[in-house]
Amino acid sequence: MAGGGYGRYRAVIFAAMFVGYTLYYFNRKTFSFVMPAVMAEVPLGKDELGLVTSSQSAAYAISKFVSGVLSDQLSARWLFSSGLLMVGLVNVVFSWSSTVTAFAGLWFLNGLAQGLGWPPCGKILRKWFEPSQFGTWWAILSTSMNLAGGLGPIVAALMSLNYDWRTTLSFSGFICVVVSFVCLLVIKNEPSDVGLPNIEQGAKKGKKGSSSDNSTLTELLLSPYLWVLSTGYLVVFGVKTCCTDWGQLFLIQERGQSMLVGSSYMSALEIGGLVGSIAAGYLSDRAVAKVGLSSYGNPRHALLLSMMAGMCVSMFLFRVTVTGDSPKENHFWTVALQPLADLTGLKEHELWILTLGAVFGFSSYGPIALFGVIANESAPANLCGTSHAIVALMANVGGFLAGLPFSTIAKHYSWATAFWVAEITCTGSTVAFFFLRNIRTKMGRIPRKAD
């Protein structure tokens, strides 16, 4: 069934979304990339810088939720393209500005436009790919953020050699504008838009589609599984943010490690996260292909729970085994890593810290990808964007809790205590999710004669 027609359209549509979302993410971070050059020209203190970046973060959280709801009501293609157009125009106008008020106001608009990017992608992926392929392509698309985040500073630094920051922002904004029109032309909401049969969603393909496709928002909100997912995502995203935001400080301030080791830990975490996202999508898709989706439980749960357990274990080892005198010879991992240390020229304790970072990144980014996939595929087709918007909003709450509340614990006690709290919270969430893994996972209306 998914012959040449599907394959060709899928390739073009996916490529357009990948390039488009890479530009979304790059232009979300352009101010950070050119910040030193901006500060050299415009006097900005830490408070002003915080105001600019915080205005974008607040707008993004609001917009992503609203966009998820809108993607169920409006054309996902138009939402994605118009958001990218707006991002480009804001960047161009930002390059003409020179006051803190203008910077904060425009970056708030950038945040609003950024929220229009991901929810339409999830909607389009679900329409174009089989359930047994959905997780893999979702995960691969999410690596566009790693690509933009990794190459962005390099591109910005190379451009700064020959151009000023205003030219850099104008150029990146102009590319967004051009690509937004290309996306509008080549992206299609669903196969029926080009004369192909729509792909049947859901577990059973026998009887009539699924009546849950006509579920109301109230029926979605009354689904217990929505809130199980939301709580799990809140904890996982919050704990991941604790490690990405504060792990480096913990290593330097309490464990006596160098700044190089701290920054290397962060890089290892991101690399592990990229691999973990793709692995989670691919392996969970294989599980779905074997047994299919059903109304109770989800084939992706086994991998999700395994990765959450990996988060707990890697956090425990990170907190307990990394010390100021880590190079001591009596640690088992020192002996195990010695051959690799001889090969790379790194010290054994540095390799151990990098290993823990990579394992935590692998174990945390995998569940982050899976929570989004499961929230989307478990919801009725007419409310999948809303479902993802709700769990993503809860993830943002987790990200907030990983900020001031987490640092307050560290301030009054220690970083080790704060990480212990995050570790216990993650362990408790994993255990609770294990016991709830077989509840009804099909959200929305319950058919009369079902189950």
Side-chain angles (χ1 to χ4, degrees):
M1 164 179 135
Y6 283 96
R8 182 166 54 85
Y9 279 110
R10 282 170 174 165
V12 171
I13 291 168
F14 186 85
M17 290 195 299
F18 191 93
V19 172
Y21 203 76
T22 300
L23 289 171
Y24 260 108
Y25 195 82
F26 178 82
N27 285 276
R28 189 187 309 167
K29 299 293 184 181
T30 43
F31 180 72
S32 300
F33 296 156
V34 301
M35 194 181 287
V38 176
M39 292 176 69
E41 180 182 326
V42 182
L44 294 173
K46 291 180 180 177
D47 289 342
E48 287 85 1
L49 292 173
L51 175 64
V52 175
T53 55
S54 295
S55 65
Q56 185 197 53
S57 299
Y60 179 60
I62 297 168
S63 177
K64 190 174 180 182
F65 174 76
V66 174
S67 174
V69 177
L70 287 178
S71 68
D72 288 328
Q73 315 298 328
L74 304 175
S75 165
R77 162 177 159 255
W78 275 96
L79 272 180
F80 183 83
S81 303
S82 58
L84 189 57
L85 173 65
M86 185 175 167
V87 166
L89 293 176
V90 167
N91 263 39
V92 172
V93 176
F94 192 98
S95 70
W96 303 339
S97 308
S98 298
T99 66
V100 174
T101 304
F103 287 165
L106 288 167
W107 226 229
F108 181 85
L109 291 178
N110 181 290
L112 289 179
Q114 288 288 339
L116 300 179
W118 189 260
C121 289
K123 185 82 173 182
I124 293 167
L125 284 177
R126 178 169 175 175
K127 293 290 187 181
W128 275 98
F129 290 93
E130 305 278 354
S132 60
Q133 302 172 318
F134 181 49
T136 301
W137 291 105
W138 176 291
I140 293 173
L141 184 59
S142 71
T143 62
S144 60
M145 292 181 274
N146 300 92
L147 179 67
L151 295 182
I154 300 171
V155 172
L158 290 175
M159 287 197 67
S160 68
L161 297 176
N162 299 304
Y163 306 100
D164 62 7
W165 67 270
R166 296 181 186 275
T167 304
T168 301
L169 262 70
S170 294
F171 184 66
S172 64
F174 176 73
I175 291 176
C176 278
V177 171
V178 173
V179 173
S180 70
F181 286 105
V182 175
C183 289
L184 185 62
L185 290 174
V186 304
I187 293 176
K188 307 298 178 185
N189 289 325
E190 55 188 3
S192 61
D193 289 349
V194 292
L196 294 170
N198 283 338
I199 294 168
E200 183 69 31
Q201 302 290 335
K204 311 210 182 216
K205 299 182 181 173
K207 309 226 167 185
K208 244 176 157 170
S210 72
S211 58
S212 62
D213 282 353
N214 298 318
S215 295
T216 64
L217 178 60
T218 301
E219 289 166 337
L220 174 70
L221 294 176
L222 290 176
S223 300
Y225 187 59
L226 175 67
W227 303 107
V228 171
L229 280 180
S230 297
T231 305
Y233 201 4
L234 182 153
V235 172
V236 167
F237 192 82
V239 170
K240 189 276 297 185
T241 306
C242 290
C243 288
T244 54
D245 286 2
W246 307 111
Q248 189 171 2
L249 276 180
F250 169 69
L251 286 172
I252 295 170
Q253 293 183 355
E254 285 195 10
R255 294 301 188 250
Q257 303 299 324
S258 67
M259 289 186 68
L260 178 61
V261 170
S263 59
S264 299
Y265 166 80
M266 299 305 298
S267 297
L269 194 154
E270 292 296 334
I271 293 170
L274 188 151
V275 177
S277 294
I278 296 176
Y282 175 72
L283 294 175
S284 67
D285 273 353
R286 293 192 64 179
V288 171
K290 277 185 181 178
V291 300
L293 295 173
S294 63
S295 296
Y296 288 87
N298 188 302
R300 303 188 199 272
H301 282 174
L303 183 61
L304 177 62
L305 284 165
S306 300
M307 289 184 136
M308 289 174 71
M311 288 179 66
C312 301
V313 172
S314 58
M315 282 194 72
F316 172 77
L317 293 174
F318 180 65
R319 180 175 59 85
V320 172
T321 65
V322 178
T323 61
D325 57 352
S326 284
K328 277 189 176 178
E329 293 292 328
N330 58 352
H331 292 298
F332 73 92
W333 44 264
T334 303
V335 178
L337 291 172
Q338 187 170 359
L340 189 58
D342 294 338
L343 188 65
T344 60
L346 296 171
K347 296 177 181 176
E348 288 87 348
H349 79 283
E350 293 173 345
L351 277 174
W352 177 243
I353 292 171
L354 295 185
T355 301
L356 290 177
V359 171
F360 181 81
F362 182 92
S363 301
S364 58
Y365 276 87
I368 286 171
L370 289 177
F371 276 119
V373 169
I374 295 171
N376 198 297
E377 72 184 1
S378 300
N382 65 316
L383 290 171
C384 62
T386 303
S387 171
H388 181 257
I390 292 170
V391 298
L393 181 65
M394 293 296 282
N396 286 329
V397 173
F400 169 78
L401 294 175
L404 185 60
F406 186 82
S407 62
T408 301
I409 296 173
K411 178 180 178 181
H412 288 93
Y413 299 95
S414 66
W415 284 117
T417 303
F419 277 101
W420 175 80
V421 171
E423 183 187 315
I424 293 299
T425 305
C426 188
T427 303
S429 178
T430 304
V431 172
F433 200 93
F434 173 80
F435 285 113
L436 294 170
R437 69 192 185 282
N438 289 324
I439 68 169
R440 179 179 172 84
T441 54
K442 192 67 179 172
M443 300 184 216
R445 182 173 302 164
I446 301 176
R448 287 277 172 102
K449 54 178 191 173
D451 314 317

